[in-house]
């Protein structure tokens, strides 16, 4: 089902040309610009594949190309990440059943040189961190190339229909989707060269140049050469253990946002949300906005972690929040039909007799994110596990340069925080990289200092203390 | 850590661990294995998993024949499944000269009972239907060659050795060896000293450093070269059973893992001598190109991992194995180039026999560590890379 009405976004205007795709031989209507898995979801298809060993059904989970839960056979080719591969008219799509054979009678590829692009700085990731970095570097005269594997710029922002908190100059009061548009326009105006649907697959040192190898539209290889690389690849959703947590319909919060806020697709009819942090609470509100019923939010902690105003709003709208509760299992044949929750004791053990069952078709996991550090790891940056930053992160200095000279990091990929800090870190990384490549004047050191101060101020609250403790563990001091 | 041992083996790769196991099996006690990092971290965990008897000289063929017998029975012997699979080795041949060499090799292999044979391109395509046989005039195939899982093989040997009383110390580096009047007194490690009268140098790429510690006066040229490997995402298991090799495509080799279904392999591109093991883009691209020439459908697969490790190379690509006369009870088994994983079972058995019985029936003479100094290089071992 597609959303016809939405208080904030007019999807009828956003949708592209109508096309027809074939799912296991059946024609299905889709719109140009829409990824395959999202179009299938709109047509009511939840099961995308079956696992190789246990033959368990799998569906969408992250919707940003990071979990491999959506692999399908597209035009005879197995292992396609359908959540970030756009539909094309006449496409043939099959469920992937275990390990698939490779296509027969294939010709050897024509082998030519990869398309090469040259510049000063390569930014990987076009979320708030990457965009802010690109803008600042370009503003100082660097030739910047920005690549993102999603079809749209803005990263997590493109899913945020709510107004942001924070400082005025950090876009407080502006809706996330709008911030994404503003940043994207500014980057283009400043001459940043943008490559969408382009996945970075590796960072290599080639002579005195850095080279980012990337694959465009799943088909062709590109090489980006420059003197510095800024990694702003964001984060991916965490999973928690419970029975049947792989059942189609157990979705990451981000995936649900992508479905409804980016593509105007109804994620489901009745949703149980796990996690009452910011993301869970905001997600509840966004679901209600899109006319989807939220049966409850469960939260293992004794208190709600999300912003008070949002939580209050949710309660007013009649959504119960069960603190000190957890999800025990998902139930259903091939897809989620029910969710069972229970109260937990001080030792986090479920208390017998407190189980509650909800009829739902979606279980939304809003249990946190972890930094996407795969490229940094591949590039040889030193990683450390820091609980306060939600996972493995790379060591870096005050200017966001990692342990590998010329590789910078910014945003959620340097530790899970918020868009505001992501943008500040991006600005610092962009300016520092521009300095390193010899484009920016030393005067920008003062500007860098200002953003460092802003970061400190922003992190001075109680939540920030926690983050600061984490950052201290990765910081390389001069 | 213990302060005394009868035997100290330096190196926790497949060679050091299998020697420890075989010594213990033959009744030796008081054995210690030192590994400066984690077990397998040197070359063993970075290898291409291939096991073949298709060599071009008598000694390597005999040794590998014995090795395969052991590999086949390893699950029984060590009590752990190391995923040994006999999918065969398939060498693609593109011209008469190559064919002639392989015909000669096959004859020699047959003499020792290795059932290799020359087959037609059509037969090759029957074995691997996805194969591109353009330009292939024949192939050499031996169905008793195969592959095993290096991670599991290391743990199988390590656990079996521990059960027989061997002490294995990881993150413990040999720093020096004290020798007096040609006799070993102790090994000094970063975690303490071990009094001992016997040292086995199984440090492969680092073997020259160990020789130096003991003051070995013989020149045993072993140099570390960086070689790389890749692994792809999985697809239907059983589509590419043999290890496919093409010297025409610069020694490219590839096979599908028996258990997980990804392709692993590489080709001859090498850098060095160097201890650097940063993977290179040149390799990634070069290997993708060569793979897709041989199996065109591989162009649809994503590479999920790339890594580098050492070939510890000698001038004739054969290892240096044996006793060093000038330092009493100092043994070396190192410099295995691209085939130490497959050889380990037979080599370790032979070394254990040499130490315990004073002699072995296996052709260890071929790997004589003194041959370099004497200028008696062997025929270059058949190897990819
Ligand atoms: C529900 C919700 C509500 C939120 N509300 C607020 C709020 O009110 N205020 C606030 O400040 N923050 C908020 N945030 C947090 C904020 O959205 C994130 O912290 C921020 O988007 C992080 O920015 P980023 O640029 O680091 O990463 P992202 O926005 O995640 O962007 C990363 C980008 O990198 C791309 N990428 C990743 N890997 C590759 C690759 N290999 N090759 C090419 N491209 C790649 C991705 O496609 C993506 O576009 C919210 C988040 C959520 C989920
Ligand atoms: C890309 C690649 C592909 C290959 N493919 C194959 C193949 O298909 N088939 C095959 O048979 N072989 C293959 N090889 C070769 C094979 O990996 C090696 O020959 C084999 O692993 C050697 O085993 P080893 O135990 O001698 O060495 P290693 O595994 O290197 O073990 C030596 C150990 O000694 C330790 N050490 C060194 N110095 C000290 C010290 N001072 N103190 C304590 N410990 C020390 C090291 O840390 C190391 O772990 C390949 C190699 C590479 C790199
Ligand atoms: S990769 Fe597609 S759903 Fe996660």
């Amino acid at each position: 089902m597609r959303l016809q009405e939405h208080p904030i976004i007019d999807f009828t205007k956003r949708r592209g040309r109508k096309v027809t795709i074939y799912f296991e031989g059946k024609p299905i209507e889709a719109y140009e610009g829409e990824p395959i898995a999202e179009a299938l979801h709109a047509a009511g298809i939840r099961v995308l594949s079956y696992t190789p060993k246990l033959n368990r059904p799998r569906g969408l989970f992250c919707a940003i190309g990071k979990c491999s839960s959506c692999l399908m056979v597209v035009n005879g080719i197995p292992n396609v990440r359908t959540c970030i591969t756009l539909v094309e008219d006449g496409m043939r799509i099959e469920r992937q059943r275990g390990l698939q054979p490779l296509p027969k009678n294939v010709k050897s590829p024509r082998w030519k040189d990869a398309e090469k692009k040259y510049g000063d700085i390569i930014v990987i990731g076009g979320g708030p961190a990457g965009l802010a970095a690109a803008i600042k570097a370009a503003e100082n005269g660097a030739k910047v190339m920005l690549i993102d594997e999603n079809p749209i710029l803005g990263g997590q922002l493109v899913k945020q229909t709510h107004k942001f908190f924070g400082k005025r100059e950090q876009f407080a009061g502006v809706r996330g989707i709008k911030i994404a548009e503003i940043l994207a326009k500014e980057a283009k105006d400043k001459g940043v060269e943008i490559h969408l649907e382009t996945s970075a697959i590796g960072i290599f040192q080639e002579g005195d140049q850095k080279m980012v190898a990337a694959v465009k539209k799943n088909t062709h290889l590109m090489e980006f050469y420059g003197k510095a690389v800024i990694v702003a690849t964001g984060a991916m959703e965490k999973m928690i253990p419970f029975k049947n947590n792989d059942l189609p319909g157990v979705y990451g919060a981000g995936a649900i946002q992508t479905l409804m806020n980016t593509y105007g697709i109804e994620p489901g009819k009745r949703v149980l949300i796990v996690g009452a942090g910011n993301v869970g609470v905001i997600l509840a509100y966004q679901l209600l906005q899109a006319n989807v019923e939220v049966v409850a939010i469960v939260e293992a902690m004794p208190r709600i972690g999300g912003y008070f105003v949002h939580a209050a709003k949710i309660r007013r709208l009649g959504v119960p929040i069960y603190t000190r509760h957890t999800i025990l299992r998902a139930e259903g044949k091939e897809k989620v039909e029910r969710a069972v929750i229970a109260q937990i004791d001080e030792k986090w053990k479920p208390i017998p007799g407190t189980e509650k069952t909800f009829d739902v078709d979606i279980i939304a996991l809003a249990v946190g994110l972890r930094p996407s550090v795969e490229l940094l790891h591949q590039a040889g940056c030193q990683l450390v596990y820091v609980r306060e930053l939600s996972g493995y992160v790379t060591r870096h200095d005050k200017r966001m340069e990692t342990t590998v000279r010329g590789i910078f990091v910014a945003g959620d990929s340097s530790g899970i925080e918020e868009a505001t800090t992501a943008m500040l870190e991006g600005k610092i990384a962009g300016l520092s990289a521009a300095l390193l490549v010899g484009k920016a004047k030393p005067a920008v050191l003062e500007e860098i200092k200002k953003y460092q101060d802003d970061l400190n101020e922003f992190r001075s609250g109680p939540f920030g203390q926690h983050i600061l403790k984490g950052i201290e563990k990765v910081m390389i001091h001069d | 850590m213990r302060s005394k041992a009868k035997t100290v083996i330096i190196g926790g790769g497949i060679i050091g661990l299998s020697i420890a196991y075989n010594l213990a099996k033959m009744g030796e006690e008081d054995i210690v294995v030192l590994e400066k990092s984690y077990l397998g971290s040197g070359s063993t965990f970075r290898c291409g998993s291939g096991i073949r008897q298709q060599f071009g000289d008598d000694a390597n063929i005999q040794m590998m024949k014995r090795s395969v017998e052991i590999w086949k029975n390893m699950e029984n012997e060590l009590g752990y499944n190391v995923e040994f699979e006999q999918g065969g080795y398939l060498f693609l041949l593109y011209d008469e000269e190559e064919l002639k060499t392989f015909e000669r090799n096959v004859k020699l292999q047959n003499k020792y009972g290795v059932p290799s044979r020359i087959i037609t391109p059509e037969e090759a395509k029957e074995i691997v239907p996805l194969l591109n046989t353009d330009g292939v005039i024949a192939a050499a195939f031996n169905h008793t060659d195969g592959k095993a899982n290096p991670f599991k093989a290391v743990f199988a040997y390590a656990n079996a050795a521990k059960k027989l009383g061997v002490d294995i110390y990881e993150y413990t580096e040999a720093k020096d060896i004290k020798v007096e009047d040609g006799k070993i007194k102790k090994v000094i490690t970063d975690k303490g000293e071990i009094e001992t009268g016997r040292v086995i140098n199984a440090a492969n790429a680092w073997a020259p450093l160990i020789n130096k510690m003991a003051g070995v006066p013989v020149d045993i040229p072993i140099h570390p070269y960086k070689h790389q490997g890749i692994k792809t995402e999985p697809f239907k298991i059983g589509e590419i059973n043999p290890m496919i090799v093409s010297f025409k495509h610069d020694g490219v080799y590839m096979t599908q893992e028996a258990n997980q279904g990804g392709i692993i392999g590489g080709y001859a591109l090498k850098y060095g001598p160097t201890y650097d093991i940063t993977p290179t883009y040149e390799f990634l691209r070069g290997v993708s190109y060569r793979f897709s020439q041989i199996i065109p459908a591989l162009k649809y697969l994503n590479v999920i991992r790339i890594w580098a490790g050492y070939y510890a190379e000698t001038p004739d690509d054969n290892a240096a194995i044996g006793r060093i006369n000038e330092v009493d009870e100092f043994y070396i088994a190192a410099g295995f180039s691209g085939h130490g994983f497959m050889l380990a079972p037979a080599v370790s058995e032979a070394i254990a026999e040499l130490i315990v019985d004073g002699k072995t029936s296996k052709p260890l003479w071929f790997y004589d560590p003194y041959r370099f100094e004497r200028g008696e290089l062997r025929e270059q071992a058949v190897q990819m890379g």
Side-chain angles (χ1 to χ4, degrees):
Chain A
M1 277 271 291
R2 283 164 207 281
L3 301 174
Q4 301 307 331
E5 269 174 59
H6 192 279
I8 294 161
I9 312 164
D10 181 359
F11 288 109
T12 50
K13 264 202 215 133
R14 261 211 206 177
R15 286 183 185 124
R17 192 170 65 96
K18 243 187 208 168
V19 295
T20 306
I21 58 174
Y22 297 86
F23 170 71
E24 314 231 289
K26 253 192 5 250
I28 281 173
E29 208 169 76
Y31 293 93
E32 241 171 24
E34 209 168 61
I36 298 166
E38 279 80 343
L40 292 178
H41 189 102
I45 294 152
R46 297 289 183 274
V47 179
L48 305 180
S49 67
Y50 292 92
T51 63
K53 293 221 168 102
L54 300 177
N55 198 31
R56 291 175 71 87
R58 286 281 162 86
L60 199 67
F61 179 70
C62 75
I64 49 171
K66 288 185 177 177
C67 76
S68 310
S69 186
C70 64
L71 301 186
M72 299 183 84
V73 182
V74 176
N75 292 335
I77 299 164
N79 303 338
V80 176
R81 288 182 294 174
T82 53
C83 70
I84 55 164
T85 304
L86 299 185
V87 295
E88 279 167 23
D89 202 21
M91 229 173 206
R92 289 172 293 110
I93 294 138
E94 259 89 32
R95 284 191 175 122
Q96 179 148 323
R97 291 164 197 277
L99 299 179
Q100 294 280 149
L102 292 176
K104 302 268 154 6
N105 301 320
V106 175
K107 283 213 180 59
S108 296
R110 271 179 304 125
W111 200 266
K112 34 179 201 203
D113 271 349
E115 188 182 343
K116 294 182 168 57
K117 297 279 174 190
Y118 298 90
D120 298 311
I121 296 169
I122 305 138
V123 179
I124 307 173
L131 284 169
I135 290 166
K136 277 292 157 195
E139 211 171 80
N140 281 278
K143 181 168 182 226
V144 181
M145 302 175 289
L146 182 147
I147 61 186
D148 196 297
E149 62 185 0
N150 266 295
I152 316 167
L153 276 178
Q156 292 284 337
L157 289 179
V158 302
K159 316 168 190 174
Q160 311 311 340
T161 49
H162 64 285
K163 293 180 178 157
F164 271 46
F165 292 101
K167 272 172 79 172
R168 188 170 30 80
E169 43 182 318
Q170 255 69 261
F171 299 108
V174 184
R175 294 184 199 282
I177 38 173
K178 190 74 198 162
I179 303 175
E181 280 166 27
I182 297 170
L183 289 174
K185 180 168 183 308
E186 195 177 348
K188 281 175 202 151
D189 290 348
K190 297 245 156 81
V192 175
E193 188 181 302
I194 290 159
H195 297 267
L196 295 175
E197 287 183 77
T198 307
S199 298
I201 58 166
I203 305 170
F204 298 91
Q205 186 72 37
E206 297 282 294
D208 61 354
Q209 301 251 74
K210 296 262 182 279
M211 193 274 285
V212 175
V215 177
K216 191 157 206 159
K217 296 197 170 182
N218 260 337
T219 51
H220 47 283
L221 185 66
M222 295 188 70
E223 296 169 12
F224 294 88
Y225 292 86
K227 293 194 206 76
V229 178
I230 300 171
V231 177
T233 45
M236 71 173 283
E237 221 109 27
K238 280 186 184 164
M239 169 57 93
I240 50 166
F242 58 91
K243 197 170 170 198
N244 293 332
N245 64 358
D246 61 341
L247 207 57
V250 177
Y251 290 173
I256 294 172
Q257 296 185 320
T258 303
L259 283 168
M260 77 185 164
N261 296 345
T262 308
Y263 298 107
I265 294 165
E266 188 185 86
K269 300 285 181 209
R270 291 162 58 82
V271 181
L272 173 85
I273 298 177
V274 181
N278 264 334
V279 172
V281 170
I282 289 170
L283 178 72
Y285 186 65
Q286 293 178 349
L287 281 162
L288 298 173
Q289 229 172 22
N291 271 323
V292 178
E293 190 184 342
V294 178
V295 298
I297 305 182
V298 293
E299 168 63 57
M301 300 296 279
R303 266 168 294 105
I304 297 164
Y307 285 122
F308 174 75
V309 267
H310 286 303
K313 215 187 236 173
I314 299 303
R315 281 221 165 102
R316 248 182 286 127
L317 290 168
V319 178
I321 303 182
Y322 294 99
T323 52
R324 272 263 169 253
H325 273 69
T326 191
I327 179 160
L328 287 185
R329 62 182 177 272
E331 292 180 348
K333 191 173 171 290
E334 300 255 304
K335 59 181 191 225
V336 171
E337 289 164 25
R338 283 170 305 279
V340 181
I341 68 166
Q343 201 177 332
I344 49 176
D345 61 22
E346 309 77 57
K347 289 184 188 131
W348 294 64
K349 284 248 157 48
I351 302 172
T354 61
E355 292 87 358
K356 285 191 184 63
T357 303
F358 296 96
D359 286 331
V360 292
D361 56 351
I362 297 287
I363 296 168
L365 295 188
V367 292
L369 300 164
R370 71 154 180 84
S372 286
V373 292
E374 291 78 5
L375 282 170
L376 293 159
H377 185 41
Q378 176 273 335
C381 303
Q382 198 186 330
L383 297 183
V384 271
Y385 185 86
V386 181
R387 198 171 41 86
E388 292 88 346
L389 301 176
S390 305
Y392 278 96
V393 282
T394 169
R395 304 196 63 211
H396 62 76
D397 65 12
K398 279 205 158 101
R399 295 196 204 157
M400 303 311 291
E401 190 167 8
T402 67
T403 51
V404 176
R405 187 104 183 109
I407 298 184
F408 296 78
V409 64
D412 278 355
S413 56
S414 81
I416 305 300
E417 267 183 282
E418 311 201 28
T420 316
T421 49
M423 283 183 276
L424 286 168
E425 286 189 344
K427 287 175 183 177
I428 295 169
L431 290 171
S432 308
L435 257 180
L436 183 84
V437 305
K439 292 290 175 181
K441 306 239 157 49
V444 299
L445 283 173
E446 263 173 52
E447 199 180 343
I448 292 177
K449 175 87 181 32
K450 178 183 171 306
Y451 299 135
Q452 288 167 341
D453 291 344
D454 286 352
L455 267 180
N456 283 336
E457 194 195 320
F458 194 85
R459 288 168 178 156
S460 57
F463 182 69
Q465 287 308 312
H466 188 65
I467 295 285
L468 282 176
K469 215 168 115 200
I471 290 175
E472 200 38 54
K473 295 183 185 167
V474 297
M475 186 60 69
I476 307 165
H477 296 282
D478 316 318
Chain B
M1 199 173 74
R2 351 141 140 233
S3 58
K4 259 187 186 167
K6 186 166 175 208
T7 304
V8 173
I9 300 172
I10 302 176
I14 188 90
I15 296 290
L17 292 167
S18 59
I19 291 175
Y21 165 75
N22 274 299
L23 277 176
K25 184 180 153 195
M26 289 184 75
E28 282 288 306
E29 290 176 353
D30 251 4
I31 305 165
V32 162
V33 178
L34 301 179
E35 168 52 54
K36 69 181 164 82
S37 179
Y38 53 90
L39 297 183
S41 60
S43 295
T44 305
F45 279 0
R46 301 161 186 279
C47 87
S49 78
I51 294 169
R52 73 183 143 94
Q53 299 149 91
Q54 295 188 68
F55 276 84
D57 61 82
D58 301 69
N60 277 314
I61 295 171
Q62 285 170 280
M63 290 294 278
M64 277 312 302
K65 176 109 193 307
R66 176 63 191 144
S67 254
V68 166
E69 283 168 19
I70 302 171
W71 278 113
K72 242 175 116 166
N73 190 41
M74 201 171 284
E75 183 172 359
N76 260 336
E77 182 173 351
L78 304 183
Y80 194 69
N81 180 6
V82 299
E83 292 171 8
F84 176 66
E85 291 279 336
Q86 289 178 301
Y89 253 68
L90 180 69
F91 288 86
L92 303 175
L93 309 174
Y94 291 83
D95 62 44
E96 291 298 332
E97 203 186 318
E98 260 192 314
L99 178 56
K100 243 191 229 138
T101 312
F102 274 83
E103 279 171 345
R104 190 207 74 147
N105 290 353
V106 161
K107 218 185 233 163
L108 193 61
Q109 290 151 11
N110 293 168
K111 184 177 133 192
Y112 291 103
V114 174
S116 54
R117 62 205 160 96
I118 302 291
I119 60 174
T120 63
E122 292 71 35
E123 287 173 296
K125 202 159 167 92
E126 263 167 44
I127 296 167
V128 183
L130 291 171
L131 196 66
N132 171 16
T133 49
D134 289 354
V136 175
I137 62 166
F141 184 62
N142 173 33
H143 69 271
T144 65
D145 291 345
K147 57 201 163 200
N149 183 326
F151 302 98
K152 298 202 167 172
V154 159
F155 287 109
Y157 269 121
N159 287 336
K162 278 185 209 160
K163 275 203 192 121
L164 295 176
V166 173
D167 282 326
I168 300 175
Y169 299 119
E170 291 183 274
Y171 300 98
T172 306
E173 182 171 358
K175 290 288 199 188
D176 203 1
I177 301 169
K178 281 279 166 284
V179 179
E180 280 169 26
D181 303 327
K183 291 204 167 22
I184 297 169
K185 292 291 170 201
K186 57 186 174 190
V187 175
I188 298 169
T189 79
D190 55 357
K191 303 265 166 74
E193 304 184 354
I194 306 176
E195 258 179 66
T196 185
R198 184 190 286 149
V199 166
I200 301 170
N201 178 358
N204 208 34
W206 295 269
L209 306 175
I210 309 296
N211 286 347
K212 217 169 137 202
M213 291 176 197
V216 171
V218 202
D219 179 30
I220 305 171
I222 295 173
H223 298 292
Y225 283 89
K226 168 158 95 178
H227 282 252
Q228 299 174 69
I230 59 159
K231 173 169 168 168
T232 70
E233 60 192 356
F235 59 101
K236 193 171 164 215
I237 291 173
E239 299 231 317
I240 306 179
N241 284 325
M243 181 75 83
I244 303 172
V245 182
S246 163
F247 286 106
K248 203 71 182 173
H249 297 88
D250 309 305
V252 70
Y253 61 92
M254 63 166 112
T255 192
Q256 191 179 16
E257 294 168 309
N259 194 33
Q260 294 184 36
I263 289 280
I264 64 173
Y267 77 110
L269 179 67
K270 69 172 183 183
Y271 305 85
T274 174
Y275 281 109
D276 165 66
I277 45 165
T278 316
T280 68
Y281 179 68
E282 183 186 17
F283 174 78
L284 184 57
R285 215 168 131 66
V287 80
S288 314
Y289 167 70
R290 287 165 181 84
F291 276 17
S292 61
Q293 294 301 303
I294 291 167
I295 309 267
L298 294 187
K299 72 180 180 188
Y300 297 121
L301 283 185
N302 291 303
V303 173
I304 58 171
R305 220 176 317 142
I306 171 173
W307 68 89
Y310 312 112
Y311 275 25
E313 298 189 10
T314 64
D316 56 18
D317 289 334
N318 286 299
I321 308 173
R323 196 197 305 269
I324 300 299
N325 302 323
E326 293 83 348
V327 182
D328 202 26
E329 288 298 297
F330 185 93
Y331 297 83
I332 181 168
F336 284 92
S337 286
H339 35 262
F341 177 65
M342 57 179 85
L343 274 166
V347 164
S348 53
E349 206 175 60
I351 279 270
E353 287 162 2
L354 183 68
I355 292 172
V356 179
D357 301 339
K359 60 179 189 327
T360 170
S361 57
K362 299 188 180 71
L364 272 197
W365 59 268
F366 182 82
Y367 310 97
D368 181 1
Y370 288 85
R371 71 182 186 277
F372 308 105
E373 214 165 65
R374 289 201 304 265
E376 277 174 29
L377 291 192
R378 310 295 184 221
E379 184 184 332
Q380 212 71 26
V382 173
Q383 82 163 12
M384 285 64 86

